[in-house]
């Protein structure tokens, strides 16, 4: 097995893993959205992130298809991931939205790094053409992570205001 072939196998596996990660994000956001209604700005940004995650997952699907990877098997794995995530329902702890924001920031950091890995693997696998697509998704993760991080003080204010209401 050549190095390039080996890199391609690793790359395709990485694309599949990231597809599962995006799918998990979709499920998590779906699950958390109803509890973010008291935070309108956060709610609409998370809705947009939900839509973006669907697009990001579709991009990964398209790349896999481009490299001849089967789509049908993938969809089954995806359904399973959503079901798993949807199973996490928390009782209404008051500060859970703040905890969700922190978790989301961590998740975004993980996703940014994952796309960095995929970019390096794409190079090694001779799939440099894929990079602009992966870079686009990485940029979106970065933007969302930055937005969440810079809005922490306003989330805390909104939480305190809600608590004293
Ligand atoms: Fe994502």
């Amino acid at each position: 097995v050549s190095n390039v072939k080996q890199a391609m196998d690793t790359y395709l596996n990485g694309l599949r893993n990231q597809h599962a990660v995006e799918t998990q994000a979709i499920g998590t956001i779906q699950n958390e959205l109803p509890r973010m209604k008291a935070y309108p700005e956060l709610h609409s940004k998370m809705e947009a992130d939900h839509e973006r995650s669907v697009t990001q997952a579709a991009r990964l699907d398209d790349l896999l298809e481009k490299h001849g990877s089967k789509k049908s098997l993938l969809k089954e794995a995806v359904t399973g991931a959503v079901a798993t995530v949807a199973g996490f329902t928390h009782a209404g702890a008051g500060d859970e939205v703040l905890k969700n924001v922190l978790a989301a920031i961590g998740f975004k950091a993980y996703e940014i790094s994952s796309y960095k890995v995929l970019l390096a693997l794409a190079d090694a696998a001779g799939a440099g053409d894929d990079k602009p697509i992966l870079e686009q998704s990485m940029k979106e993760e970065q933007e969302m992570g930055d937005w969440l991080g810079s809005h922490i003080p306003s989330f805390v204010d909104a939480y305190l205001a809600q608590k004293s209401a």
Side-chain angles (χ1 to χ4, degrees):
V1 183
S2 73
N3 283 344
V4 174
K5 166 88 176 79
Q6 216 161 43
M8 180 53 87
D9 286 347
T10 308
Y11 174 55
L12 293 179
N13 228 352
L15 291 176
R16 276 182 218 108
N17 287 339
Q18 186 59 21
H19 190 278
V21 167
E22 295 295 356
T23 304
Q24 190 178 335
I26 293 163
T28 303
I29 296 168
Q30 266 167 9
N31 200 36
E32 290 177 356
L33 268 177
R35 287 190 295 269
M36 290 181 175
K37 281 189 179 135
Y39 303 75
E41 220 189 339
L42 176 63
H43 187 271
S44 73
K45 196 77 184 173
M46 290 301 279
E47 251 179 348
D49 193 52
H50 179 270
E51 226 168 280
R52 274 181 162 184
S53 301
V54 171
T55 305
Q56 289 161 357
R59 284 178 190 143
L60 294 161
D61 235 351
D62 289 346
L63 289 178
L64 280 164
E65 202 181 28
K66 175 184 160 187
H67 295 292
S69 187
K70 280 177 201 161
K71 258 182 149 184
S72 55
L73 283 175
L74 201 64
K75 284 220 171 100
E76 272 178 82
V78 164
T79 315
V82 172
T84 305
V85 173
F88 285 95
T89 41
H90 316 267
D95 62 346
E96 91 181 48
V97 169
L98 295 179
K99 285 177 182 156
N100 287 345
V101 166
L102 293 181
I105 291 170
F107 200 78
K108 287 296 158 197
Y110 175 81
E111 287 199 279
I112 293 160
S113 300
S114 296
Y115 279 110
K116 277 185 193 158
V117 170
L118 289 173
L119 285 165
L121 284 172
D123 269 334
D129 287 358
D130 295 1
K131 286 172 76 182
I133 295 165
L134 297 167
E135 274 160 359
Q136 178 60 36
S137 293
M138 188 174 71
K139 241 175 59 187
E140 292 167 3
E141 310 295 12
Q142 186 83 60
E143 198 211 63
M144 183 61 179
D146 288 350
W147 188 89
L148 287 168
S150 65
H151 283 74
I152 287 176
S154 69
F155 299 144
V156 172
D157 288 346
Y159 165 69
L160 291 174
Q162 208 203 342
K163 223 183 156 195
S164 64

